[in-house]
């Protein structure tokens, strides 16, 4: 379970992907929730791994307090706190790994816990020292690689002929992963932790 407290509200999640919000103004004992967020699962897509990959590894309130963002193993979801029945946005982060869940369970990578962060864009970590930045306003996303060389946008190849700058899923290094990211509170600067290295990324200044 994961819990996050902000002002008079407390969020906590279950390993089944549900989130409960408690209003601490009504009671300091959070044994009853005021809101319950859950996206019904499609029975046709249910598998042995459904509960594992739906477990929430991180969640954050937006700066305005109107939304919250949750991260599970395969995706990032944005929820309107006034709508509990389904997220208003779902961004696929690891959908290309769905066919490899058996091997990911064998090497216990399926239990990795990735964080997510709010800023003008949202960001979340991945494998191979990749991290994903999602621009919600422009409906665009970019995948960057944290490395000692100059990082540039990278694309994932899930099958078929691979283009020049695409990375094949089969070539991913699952021992290199970014679990922790942080945004500067005022500037468009982000820090990512990869193994024993810390990388700082900043928008180019014209």
């Amino acid at each position: 379970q994961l819990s996050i407290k902000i002002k008079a509200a407390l969020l906590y999640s279950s390993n089944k992907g549900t989130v409960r919000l408690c209003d601490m103004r009504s009671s300091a004992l959070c044994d009853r929730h005021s809101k319950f967020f859950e996206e019904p699962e499609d029975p046709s897509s249910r598998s042995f791994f459904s509960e594992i990959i739906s477990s929430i590894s991180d969640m954050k309130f937006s700066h305005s307090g109107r939304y919250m963002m949750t991260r599970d193993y395969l995706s990032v979801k944005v929820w309107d706190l006034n709508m509990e029945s389904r997220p208003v946005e779902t961004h696929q982060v690891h959908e290309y790994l769905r066919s490899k869940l058996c091997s990911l369970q064998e090497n216990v990578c399926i239990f990795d816990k990735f964080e997510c962060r709010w800023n003008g864009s949202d960001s979340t970590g991945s494998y191979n020292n990749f991290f994903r930045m999602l621009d919600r306003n422009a409906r665009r996303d970019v995948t960057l690689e944290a490395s000692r060389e100059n990082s540039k946008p990278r694309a994932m190849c899930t099958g078929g002929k691979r283009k020049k700058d695409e990375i094949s899923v089969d070539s991913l290094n699952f021992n290199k992963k970014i679990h922790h990211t942080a945004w500067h509170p005022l500037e468009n600067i982000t820090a990512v932790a990869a193994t024993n290295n810390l990388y700082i990324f900043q928008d180019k200044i014209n």
Side-chain angles (χ1 to χ4, degrees), residues 140-181:
R140 294 182 302 177
D141 63 83
V142 62
T143 300
L144 296 173
E145 181 180 7
S147 69
R148 295 182 182 276
E149 302 175 357
N150 292 331
S151 293
K152 61 180 180 179
R154 308 299 292 268
M156 292 303 306
C157 176
T158 57
K161 189 174 180 180
R162 184 151 50 104
K163 297 179 181 178
K164 180 180 178 181
D165 292 326
E166 287 184 333
I167 301 296
S168 170
V169 177
D170 294 324
S171 68
L172 292 177
N173 185 341
F174 292 99
N175 293 319
K176 298 169 64 177
K177 60 194 77 174
I178 294 177
H179 283 159
H180 307 291
T181 61

Side-chain angles (χ1 to χ4, degrees), residues 1 6 20 30 32 42 57 72 76 90-91 97 105 115 124 128-129 152 154 159-160 164 169-170 176 182 184 193:
Q1 289 187 346
I6 181 171
R20 290 171 171 83
C30 298
R32 296 181 181 179
D42 182 357
S57 59
D72 57 42
V76 168
T90 299
H91 301 275
L97 297 179
Q105 185 193 35
E115 292 182 350
T124 188
N128 215 79
N129 281 3
K152 61 180 180 179
R154 308 299 292 268
K164 180 180 178 181
V169 177
D170 294 324
K176 298 169 64 177
H184 190 284

Side-chain angles (χ1 to χ4, degrees), residues 31-42:
D31 58 342
R32 296 181 181 179
H33 58 269
S34 57
K35 288 181 178 291
F36 179 76
F37 300 90
E38 180 181 26
E39 182 177 25
E41 183 183 14
D42 182 357

Side-chain angles (χ1 to χ4, degrees), residues 106-123:
E106 291 175 1
N107 62 20
V108 302
C109 285
I110 198 171
F111 300 105
D112 283 329
K113 304 298 183 184
F114 294 98
E115 292 182 350
C116 55
R117 288 288 182 270
W118 285 98
N119 196 41
S121 301
D122 311 328
S123 69

